[in-house]
Amino acid sequence: MTTRHGEAVGLAGLLAAAGVTHLLRPGYYDPIVPRTLPGPARFWTYASGVAELAVAAAVAHPATRRTGGRAAAALFVAVLPANVKMAVDWRHRRPARRAIAYGRVPMQVPLIWWALRVARATR
């Protein structure tokens, strides 16, 4: 397995795991859905889970990996408002919980970089 292939497999695995948890544990994600989105939070939780699974499949398949990597980067940008909302909402929680919430925001940068790296490696 090449390093770039391994990066793609890792990214696909991360996205698949996130997608599955959105579908199996939606109650964890519902509270961080920005209120500005129309409709119920549960819809957006499920929609993001399905999107993560679809993007994971695209990243996993070499023929669609370039598009999948770009879609993953866009998805990581799209979920940033939810992570910011979580950080704001959790600002009065215990230090360990705050650290988790605050850590999710800057983590988007390396995730976006990783997704774009996978997309660029597939030329």
Side-chain angles (χ1 to χ4, degrees):
M1 179 182 323
T2 66
T3 302
R4 297 296 170 118
H5 177 76
E7 288 180 19
V9 169
L11 181 59
L14 174 78
L15 287 160
V20 168
T21 62
H22 276 77
L23 298 176
L24 295 181
R25 302 281 311 240
Y28 177 78
Y29 298 98
D30 289 347
I32 67 171
V33 173
R35 291 182 192 97
T36 56
L37 291 174
R42 182 63 49 97
F43 167 80
W44 294 104
T45 297
Y46 284 148
S48 63
V50 169
E52 286 163 335
L53 290 172
V55 172
V59 169
H61 193 282
T64 57
R65 187 165 293 149
R66 185 174 185 183
T67 301
R70 290 177 178 166
L75 185 61
F76 292 138
V77 170
V79 301
L80 182 58
N83 291 330
V84 170
K85 183 179 183 315
M86 182 181 196
V88 170
D89 290 350
W90 287 26
R91 69 187 177 279
H92 300 298
R93 296 209 179 175
R94 295 187 317 254
R97 295 256 181 195
R98 275 197 316 264
I100 290 167
Y102 293 168
R104 288 174 65 119
V105 175
M107 183 56 66
Q108 297 307 116
V109 173
L111 289 173
I112 293 164
W113 175 82
W114 184 12
L116 292 174
R117 182 175 158 100
V118 166
R120 280 192 305 270
T122 311
R123 290 185 182 194

